[in-house]
Amino acid sequence: MDVPGWPLIFRGSAAVGAGLVTARRLQGPAFVRVLPDTWAARHLVPLGHADRCRAVFRWSGGRGVIAGWAAAELSGAPCAPAGAPVDVVLPVRARAPAGVRVRRDRLHPGEIGWCDGVRVTTPLRTAFDLARGRDETAAVVAVDALAFRHGFAPDLLLNFAVRYRGLRGVAGVPGVLGLADRRAMSPPETRLRLLLVRAGLPDLRSSTRCSTTPGAARCGSISPIPRRASASSTRAPTTPAPTGSCATPRG
């Protein structure tokens, strides 16, 4: 009997039931309990982000879909606030352990993919979910990071706003998209742009690019773009392919 994740990150009861390990050895020095009935090989602890997601996926019994900030990070768009929990969408109610947030969102099959061995929401669905957050700055940071990494136009998220018009936070999505810029190369760049826009300065929409090469530090010229103009009308840069073994449809 195969046990998903064995012997790295796995369900303890499944491993014991399959005869792969005894309950006594499971409690020994080779393994560490990281979530209820979920164990990791000691050399993996403390878990990195991808392994945390794997652990939550194992804890869910393979039924969950990693979402939110965790899905963004896993897809190669580093933008999560420090200490953000791992969001997981489950079809049933479940008590979330520490560091995990359980959601029961409705997901279309085309909004689910695989990345690093776990089911995740696709980049577009992840961006839509994060665009609905209460913190507008964090929402714009997330949309910028995902759009840059995966090369999509932020305005595509309006399709989700129509499909899921009754969800919490959907009313704020158009405002977030009005501030988004898929050319932004990092969260600090997005935050600086928003700071300038909110101070009443022209929206430069990431037209400033700086080189930090020793002996060649310089910034390129800037040309203001009308404030809150749609970023989808500008050409996106060539973006690197996501890291890891991800197979996520665009939707």
Side-chain angles (χ1 to χ4, degrees):
M1 175 181 174
D2 291 334
V3 174
W6 170 264
L8 300 177
I9 300 174
F10 57 92
R11 293 291 293 266
S13 58
V16 172
L20 298 175
V21 66
T22 64
R24 181 173 182 178
R25 181 168 178 252
L26 197 60
Q27 299 285 347
F31 303 104
V32 177
R33 180 179 179 272
V34 291
L35 289 171
D37 194 30
T38 306
W39 298 76
R42 181 170 294 278
H43 72 271
L44 295 179
V45 179
L47 298 181
H49 179 78
D51 284 337
R52 284 179 60 209
C53 291
R54 290 189 189 95
V56 173
F57 185 61
R58 300 288 178 237
W59 168 79
S60 77
R63 298 175 298 173
V65 179
I66 303 301
W69 296 110
E73 294 275 342
L74 202 58
S75 76
C79 58
V86 175
D87 285 348
V88 59
V89 179
L90 284 174
V92 296
R93 294 187 181 278
R95 174 177 290 184
V100 178
R101 182 164 53 197
V102 173
R103 294 165 27 185
R104 297 191 66 196
D105 296 350
R106 181 163 55 97
L107 294 174
H108 185 277
E111 297 164 9
I112 302 171
W114 287 84
C115 191
D116 281 346
V118 303
R119 293 205 303 169
V120 296
T121 51
T122 60
L124 276 171
R125 175 61 200 235
T126 302
F128 169 67
D129 288 340
L130 295 174
R132 296 186 289 118
R134 295 181 180 179
D135 185 329
E136 185 181 66
T137 296
V140 177
V141 165
V143 172
D144 279 5
L146 284 157
F148 174 77
R149 186 63 172 169
H150 297 281
F152 62 79
D155 282 358
L156 289 175
L157 302 185
L158 291 174
N159 296 325
F160 290 86
V162 172
R163 179 185 297 173
Y164 299 109
R165 61 172 58 92
L167 289 185
R168 173 188 55 80
V170 166
V173 170
V176 169
L177 300 185
L179 291 168
D181 181 0
R182 60 180 173 177
R183 296 173 300 170
M185 299 176 70
S186 69
E189 182 177 327
T190 297
R191 294 189 187 98
L192 176 59
R193 187 184 77 246
L194 295 179
L195 183 65
L196 295 176
V197 168
R198 289 164 179 163
L201 298 176
D203 186 348
L204 303 179
R205 288 297 165 99
S206 305
S207 294
T208 304
R209 288 288 181 269
C210 298
S211 168
T212 56
T213 303
R218 63 187 184 279
C219 290
S221 60
I222 57 178
S223 54
I225 297 174
R227 187 176 179 181
R228 297 183 72 86
S230 171
S232 65
S233 61
T234 59
R235 184 176 62 87
T238 301
T239 55
T243 57
S245 52
C246 298
T248 55
R250 274 287 188 88

